[in-house]
Amino acid sequence: MASKNNTRQPNLFIEITKGLFREKVTLGLLFSIFATALAVVMVTDASRAEVIKQDKLLQQKDELDLAWGYLVVESEFYAQHARVEDIAKKKLDMKRPERKDEKLVVLP
C-alpha cells in the first residue's frame, strides 16, 4: 500500500524542472544568478591571491630596506677619514706631504 501512495505523489524535482523550462524568464534569471555567484567566487579568489602577493612584496621590501640600511652604515664606516688615513699610513706607507714638498702651479 505504501508504494501506491508513493506513485500518486508528484516528484517535486521533476515538477520544478518542468516549471523552469516552461518559464524562460525564470530559467534565464536562475542561470544569471549561478553565473554571478561563480563570478563572485572567482573575483574573490583572485583578489585574495593579489593580497597575498602584495604581502610578500611588502615583506621583501622591508627586508631590502633593512639590508640597504646596513649597507649605508657599512659604507659610512669604510669612508671615515680617520680610518682611511690610518690604512694609508700603515698598509701603504703613505704620509702627508710637507710644506717643502708642495708645488704651486699657476695657469696663464
Side-chain angles (χ1 to χ4, degrees):
M1 279 253 191
S3 63
K4 282 187 177 182
N5 287 341
N6 224 3
T7 57
R8 289 184 183 177
Q9 293 179 351
N11 190 345
L12 186 60
F13 180 73
I14 294 174
E15 291 300 320
I16 289 175
T17 11
K18 284 180 184 177
L20 283 176
F21 284 115
R22 268 184 269 141
E23 298 291 327
K24 303 294 183 200
V25 174
T26 307
L27 185 62
L29 289 175
L30 184 64
F31 177 73
S32 65
I33 288 171
F34 284 130
T36 305
L38 183 63
V40 166
V41 169
M42 291 174 63
V43 167
T44 303
D45 183 56
S47 67
R48 283 183 185 160
E50 292 299 319
V51 167
I52 290 170
K53 193 185 299 183
Q54 180 186 17
D55 287 344
K56 287 180 182 177
L57 289 173
L58 286 174
Q59 184 179 7
Q60 184 181 10
K61 177 196 167 284
D62 291 342
E63 291 170 359
L64 289 173
D65 282 344
L66 187 61
W68 179 77
Y70 287 143
L71 290 174
V72 167
V73 169
E74 186 178 354
S75 69
E76 289 174 358
F77 170 74
Y78 285 126
Q80 289 176 352
H81 182 70
R83 182 179 180 281
V84 172
E85 189 174 354
D86 187 48
I87 290 174
K89 285 180 183 176
K90 289 181 181 176
K91 290 187 178 180
L92 301 175
D93 198 29
M94 296 175 82
K95 61 179 182 169
R96 284 194 171 273
E98 295 177 7
R99 188 96 164 139
K100 64 179 181 175
D101 296 331
E102 293 179 5
K103 294 190 180 190
L104 182 64
V105 177
V106 179
L107 296 175

